[in-house]
Amino acid sequence: MIIDPVCGLPLTEPKEEYKAEVRGKTYNFCGEYCKHVFLHGNRIAYFSMEIGLEKDFHTYSGGLGVLAGDVIKSSADLKIPLVGVTLVSTKGYLKQEIRDGKQIDHPDDWTPSQYISELPKQVELKIENRPVKVKAWIYDYQSPRGSLVSVLFLDTDVEGNTPEDREITSFLYGGDREYRLKQEIVLGIGGVKMLKAADFNIGKYHMNEGHSSLLTLELLRNNGKEVDAVRDLCIFTTHTPVAAGHDKFSYDLVQRLLGNVVPLETLKAHGGQDQLNMTRLALNTSKYVNGVAKRHQEFSLTLFPGYNISTVTNGVHSFTWTCDSFRRLYNQYLPGWANEPELMVRVECIPDEEIWLAHMEAKEQLMQFVRERSGEQFDPNVLTLGFARRATGYKRATLLFSNLKRLEDINKRVGKVQVIYAGKAHPDDWMGKRLIEEINEMKEYLKDVMKIIYLENYDMEMASKLTSGVDVWLNTPLPPFEASGTSGMKAAHNGVINFSVLDGWWVEGCIEGITGWAIGPDPEENLEEAERRHREITQLYDKLEYLIIPKFYRNRDDWIHMMKNSVGKVAYYFNSHRMMRRYTTEAYL
Ligand SMILES: *Cc1c(COP(=O)(O)O)cnc(C)c1O
């Protein structure tokens, strides 16, 4: 079926005069107006180092990229005129093998030409004063009832480039500082040039994290160095709650690679005196700046005093992250939910038994998936906890094993628990790798008490299986490091209940005992770090022993009531449709 890419109208008889050839593709429209809007209308350019659209595009590493993919999908559903820009990352982020309980790293190649087409035009930029050619692949995401949003994947693997330059867009988050800066030059500066070459009219530039903030230098150059004019065009979303996490480069390196796109003095004035801080550059050149959860905004204000930082709390794309059995239920009882996730507030329309049946279907599918991947059989009648996200220190994947005696005792005396883990560690993150080893050691150590598995090669497909098929979604980050977190929102869409440290989005999502449970004290409470750790660990076990396990096994009605609250009080708000409407009214318009 042919769909008008602007208004979403199905076209039974496409008309020759409302056809357009652009960017090497043919598009059909319902009439002159949509055609004109598509060819000449202003768009929001959404820049992100990673965008996770589907599992076969290996252009994401974790939450940041998956969020960017959900931005694209919700924008298309809501007919927000947006175009995405990212790197093609043909060698991917990382293919994870787990051998003898340890992570082994492999490249994770993908072949863009299998899925997407090449743009006819290339652009050129300068790195170390040598010309580097950039091409782009275009992917069109057509929403079933909404509009079309294109994503450009920039690629320097072009004939005529030096062998080294041909690799710039190969490895997501790979290489050294120099490699990273080259990637950010291609993303920021190459991205702006490519949008122009591809005839996109851009009204706003949205930087998803600071990696792309060199785009503002290209805009300064195009706007006669008027920073106010650039500021008017730019929106910046920061995702990093700690100073050390922000991308920085020495000016020696910057000058060597970048030359003088803008005079060094101008660059220092906006990007910091001592070194180029990509976050600071973005802060100084954007009119609208936001954090990704209220708590993260508050923290960002302390990191960057004097800036006006707003907040738009993250969300996830409801349709993408709802499993088949729950989609069927929502279609039946809450028609229209996928494009109006607010309707999930009416979850009480759905009979309890049907919620439970849909959940058990998802749970059995997960158990089957685990069996296929690992050969291990999990029991669908046992309370199952899920923990899956990037394996890195602050996520504290092993917090559950802080007190083994207590964990064993709870399992033997109170009720059985089993845990499914997954997540990749960055190749250079030895702490993250160590956490994976420890979990595998625990699996061995506790094998007669509780069943544990660490699934290999976490990706979006596995994320959707896990966040729909477990009973409880566990999250134990070290505050304030979790800027938002989104996997718990995916869980909520499937009636899975969150049990999490009060950090990031969960500060806004948690109503104790109603929408889920908190682990540890309120972030507002003024406590010593040691006392905080102690309370986190005590509450983790206390709530498992006294609240969660008894409710699951002996009070199923109350459990289902909480599942419904997860849908009706969490998913109905923490979705990317609400998020994109907020960006539209607060930042884009
Ligand atoms: C949603 C998602 C994440 C984000 O998980 P958090 O728990 O929010 O960090 C990471 N990786 C993949 C593959 C995801 O789908």
Side-chain angles (χ1 to χ4, degrees):
M1 186 174 57
I2 297 172
I3 295 180
D4 182 310
V6 175
C7 67
L9 204 74
L11 304 172
T12 40
E13 284 173 66
K15 292 209 174 70
E16 202 54 35
E17 71 256 48
Y18 302 138
K19 198 160 112 181
E21 308 256 346
V22 57
R23 299 182 273 275
K25 294 190 176 198
T26 307
Y27 299 95
N28 289 283
F29 304 90
C30 66
E32 195 51 46
Y33 176 75
C34 283
K35 180 175 169 181
H36 179 84
V37 168
F38 191 78
L39 296 180
H40 308 292
N42 268 348
R43 283 182 168 80
I44 295 117
Y46 184 80
F47 279 70
S48 183
M49 188 76 148
E50 45 173 315
I51 300 188
L53 287 155
E54 24 189 300
K55 75 168 176 44
D56 293 330
F57 294 16
H58 301 170
T59 53
Y60 65 94
S61 85
L64 184 75
V66 175
L67 175 83
D70 286 356
V71 163
I72 301 297
K73 290 173 189 168
S74 276
S75 297
D77 291 342
L78 298 172
K79 303 177 194 171
I80 298 169
L82 189 129
V83 52
V85 181
T86 188
L87 301 182
V88 72
S89 303
T90 37
K91 295 278 186 343
Y93 170 63
L94 160 75
K95 186 167 182 158
Q96 179 195 51
E97 185 195 348
I98 294 184
R99 202 190 295 163
D100 302 326
K102 293 185 174 61
Q103 170 171 311
I104 299 173
D105 314 329
H106 302 284
D108 196 18
D109 298 29
W110 72 292
T111 310
S113 61
Q114 278 186 354
Y115 309 95
I116 47 184
S117 58
E118 205 178 308
L119 280 185
K121 283 191 190 156
Q122 299 182 353
V123 298
E124 196 174 285
L125 45 79
K126 282 213 164 128
I127 295 179
E128 283 183 309
N129 224 2
R130 133 185 114 244
V132 176
K133 294 198 187 81
V134 183
K135 66 178 181 183
W137 302 86
I138 183 165
Y139 169 76
D140 283 344
Y141 179 83
Q142 173 67 57
S143 156
R145 286 201 185 75
S147 69
L148 181 148
V149 169
S150 302
V151 180
L152 305 185
F153 295 84
L154 304 172
D155 189 347
T156 60
D157 186 11
V158 179
E159 222 168 298
N161 284 343
T162 67
E164 221 186 311
D165 289 344
R166 291 181 79 148
E167 293 257 286
I168 294 175
T169 54
S170 298
F171 296 95
L172 178 61
Y173 303 130
D176 55 10
R177 299 307 295 157
E178 180 167 332
Y179 185 75
R180 175 68 69 86
L181 182 56
K182 286 180 185 168
Q183 289 194 323
E184 297 191 2
I185 293 171
V186 171
L187 178 63
I189 295 177
V192 173
K193 286 177 185 275
M194 186 59 80
L195 287 168
K196 201 168 185 181
D199 293 319
F200 284 104
N201 290 335
I202 304 302
K204 297 276 180 194
Y205 294 82
H206 187 165
M207 293 170 266
N208 185 43
E209 191 53 303
H211 305 117
S212 54
S213 65
L214 294 176
L215 75 84
T216 62
L217 304 186
E218 183 63 18
L219 296 180
L220 274 171
R221 179 155 66 184
N222 296 344
N223 282 274
K225 312 218 164 34
E226 278 296 325
V227 73
D228 280 344
V230 171
R231 219 176 261 137
D232 230 18
L233 295 172
C234 292
I235 291 142
F236 173 47
T237 300
T238 172
H239 291 261
T240 317
V242 281
H246 297 269
D247 235 353
K248 294 184 205 87
F249 301 101
S250 79
Y251 279 115
D252 283 348
L253 183 64
V254 173
Q255 284 231 289
R256 180 159 66 79
L257 297 193
L258 197 54
N260 278 320
V261 180
V262 298
L264 185 62
E265 281 321 304
T266 315
L267 188 53
K268 284 188 172 177
H270 303 309
Q273 284 303 317
D274 310 331
Q275 42 183 352
L276 176 59
N277 180 329
M278 299 297 278
T279 300
R280 204 163 277 280
L281 177 61
L283 283 169
N284 284 327
T285 50
S286 301
K287 188 157 93 179
Y288 183 88
V289 177
N290 72 288
V292 289
K294 285 201 175 68
R295 165 125 174 94
H296 173 237
Q297 174 228 15
E298 287 158 16
F299 213 81
S300 300
L301 284 171
T302 66
L303 282 181
F304 301 103
Y307 289 94
N308 185 1
I309 302 177
S310 311
T311 174
V312 177
T313 302
N314 281 166
V316 298
H317 188 250
S318 298
F319 186 77
T320 300
W321 296 108
T322 300
C323 67
D324 287 338
S325 56
F326 271 83
R327 282 181 188 173
R328 286 200 306 271
L329 265 193
Y330 298 158
N331 284 343
Q332 185 183 345
Y333 291 97
L334 313 168
W337 67 280
N339 222 25
E340 222 172 317
E342 296 94 323
L343 286 170
M344 285 190 275
V345 77
R346 292 176 50 76
V347 65
E348 291 301 337
C349 304
I350 309 175
D352 283 8
E353 317 79 73
E354 296 198 38
I355 292 270
W356 188 252
L357 281 175
H359 173 63
M360 284 311 285
E361 185 178 327
K363 196 170 178 183
E364 266 151 31
Q365 283 196 356
L366 170 64
M367 303 303 162
Q368 188 184 336
F369 177 80
V370 171
R371 188 166 60 239
E372 284 161 9
R373 289 289 178 102
S374 69
E376 298 208 29
Q377 181 63 53
F378 276 66
D379 182 349
N381 295 312
V382 171
L383 174 62
T384 306
L385 313 186
F387 185 107
R389 43 186 58 85
R390 287 181 306 112
T392 190
Y394 81 84
K395 303 259 192 189
R396 297 194 294 185
T398 55
L399 200 77
L400 182 64
F401 306 116
S402 301
N403 184 344
L404 289 172
K405 278 233 148 21
R406 181 107 201 250
L407 189 59
E408 286 179 58
D409 174 60
I410 290 173
N411 257 282
K412 287 183 183 149
R413 206 170 38 78
V414 187
K416 278 268 169 213
V417 180
Q418 55 193 4
V419 198
I420 305 179
Y421 278 98
K424 301 173 182 175
H426 184 276
D428 300 333
D429 184 353
W430 62 269
M431 261 271 265
K433 287 183 171 175
R434 181 67 207 132
L435 288 171
I436 295 172
E437 287 176 46
E438 276 174 33
I439 292 166
N440 279 299
E441 286 160 21
M442 286 301 140
K443 168 191 155 108
E444 218 12 64
Y445 179 80
L446 293 168
K447 68 174 189 293
D448 299 325
V449 184
M450 63 187 288
K451 217 165 160 50
I452 298 169
I453 188 138
Y454 203 104
L455 294 175
E456 185 177 77
N457 208 35
Y458 187 49
D459 64 3
M460 286 172 66
E461 182 194 21
M462 196 187 288
S464 78
K465 288 257 174 4
L466 280 166
T467 54
S468 57
V470 300
D471 300 300
V472 170
W473 194 247
L474 181 67
N475 192 16
T476 51
L478 177 69
F481 289 79
E482 188 81 298
S484 164
T486 51
S487 60
M489 306 174 187
K490 300 169 190 167
H493 275 78
N494 299 287
V496 170
I497 306 174
N498 279 277
F499 182 33
S500 171
V501 166
L502 287 169
D503 197 19
W505 79 280
W506 189 233
V507 178
E508 292 156 68
C510 181
I511 308 171
E512 181 65 21
I514 292 173
T515 59
W517 301 275
I519 300 171
D522 189 291
E524 300 285 307
E525 254 185 87
N526 197 4
L527 296 171
E528 294 285 325
E529 278 307 294
E531 174 62 17
R532 203 167 268 284
R533 289 303 85 74
H534 174 72
R535 288 223 215 155
E536 284 168 352
I537 293 165
T538 319
Q539 283 189 18
L540 176 58
Y541 296 115
D542 282 353
K543 288 187 185 180
L544 267 179
E545 174 166 357
Y546 302 116
L547 301 174
I548 300 175
I549 297 175
K551 199 187 289 285
F552 180 81
Y553 286 111
R554 296 190 275 282
N555 200 344
R556 193 54 50 83
D557 289 349
D558 278 9
W559 186 272
I560 295 171
H561 189 67
M562 280 187 79
M563 291 177 71
K564 284 182 161 181
N565 285 343
S566 220
V567 174
K569 296 188 199 303
V570 179
Y572 105 100
Y573 182 81
F574 294 94
N575 58 74
S576 51
H577 275 40
R578 187 260 320 147
M579 173 180 79
M580 289 318 293
R581 288 191 162 113
R582 289 284 304 275
Y583 277 116
T584 303
T585 52
E586 287 174 36
Y588 297 162
L589 290 178

